[in-house]
Amino acid sequence: MNIHNLTIEEAEEINTWQYEAPYELYSFTGEDETLKELLDGTYYGVCDEQDKFIGYFCFGDNAQVPGGRDAKLYTGERAIDIGLGMKPALTGKGLGISFLQAGLQFAKDEFKPEKIRLSVAAFNERAIHLYMKAGFQKKVSFVNRGREFQLMEYEEK
């Protein structure tokens, strides 16, 4: 997979993505402010072997959930937070593990962290299963805007 700085065209496409229930929490607004965040340098586009755009990763503060930040869960100088999203039409088709592994390798090479974390909505059992399969462990749960989230940390297998 090719992971690269997100292009304007990719950011504009992501900003239209709408996910079906119960995953609509991950849908994008289409707002200019969202587009500006997507292009702030913390988001990376992912293309498959046929050079088709399939998703994104983000790293750092933009991968953090405000409720976790309020609870002071994102600590540690050598930790990196990772966020990710696949094109809605591609979710649930078995592509997640190779997608996630590519992003983890990119994070290790690019940021050289001691710890990789992610936050996921607790209802999202499909994603939690994927993350655990890749080596993430559940650490602590927290609430953001009335919804429970799970903080997970990556542990090399």
Side-chain angles (χ1 to χ4, degrees):
M1 285 190 202
N2 169 1
I3 301 178
H4 54 273
N5 289 330
L6 195 67
T7 67
I8 292 169
E9 294 79 18
E10 290 167 343
E12 288 172 342
E13 180 180 328
I14 291 168
N15 206 18
T16 68
W17 286 358
Q18 298 295 306
Y19 294 91
E20 304 225 349
Y23 306 104
E24 67 274 4
L25 159 75
Y26 300 107
S27 294
F28 283 80
T29 63
E31 295 175 5
D32 288 344
E33 186 176 307
T34 304
L35 191 60
K36 200 184 314 183
E37 178 183 318
L38 288 166
L39 293 169
D40 73 0
T42 64
Y43 285 79
Y44 295 81
V46 182
C47 291
D48 65 13
E49 289 72 24
Q50 289 78 40
D51 212 32
K52 293 224 181 345
F53 177 60
I54 61 169
Y56 71 88
F57 287 97
C58 69
F59 301 96
D61 291 351
N62 285 336
Q64 298 175 351
V65 175
R69 206 175 296 130
D70 294 344
K72 308 218 182 324
L73 299 177
Y74 302 119
T75 59
E77 292 177 28
R78 304 272 308 139
I80 189 80
D81 292 283
I82 183 173
L84 59 143
M86 285 187 83
K87 193 177 282 199
L90 299 177
T91 61
K93 303 214 182 310
L95 305 171
I97 193 70
S98 59
F99 180 80
L100 179 57
Q101 287 170 335
L104 288 170
Q105 190 60 54
F106 179 85
K108 291 178 208 172
D109 294 344
E110 189 77 11
F111 303 105
K112 304 194 181 357
E114 290 176 5
K115 185 187 298 182
I116 300 174
R117 296 181 296 230
L118 60 75
S119 299
V120 57
F123 77 84
N124 194 346
E125 293 176 19
R126 182 172 73 182
I128 291 169
H129 176 76
L130 170 70
Y131 301 149
M132 292 181 79
K133 186 176 176 181
F136 281 88
Q137 301 296 318
K138 293 180 181 180
K139 292 300 178 183
V140 64
S141 60
F142 62 93
V143 175
N144 185 68
R145 295 184 184 158
R147 190 182 302 262
E148 185 181 356
F149 281 78
Q150 182 71 51
L151 182 70
M152 301 181 78
E153 290 180 6
Y154 179 71
E155 296 176 9
E156 289 274 357
K157 289 186 171 185

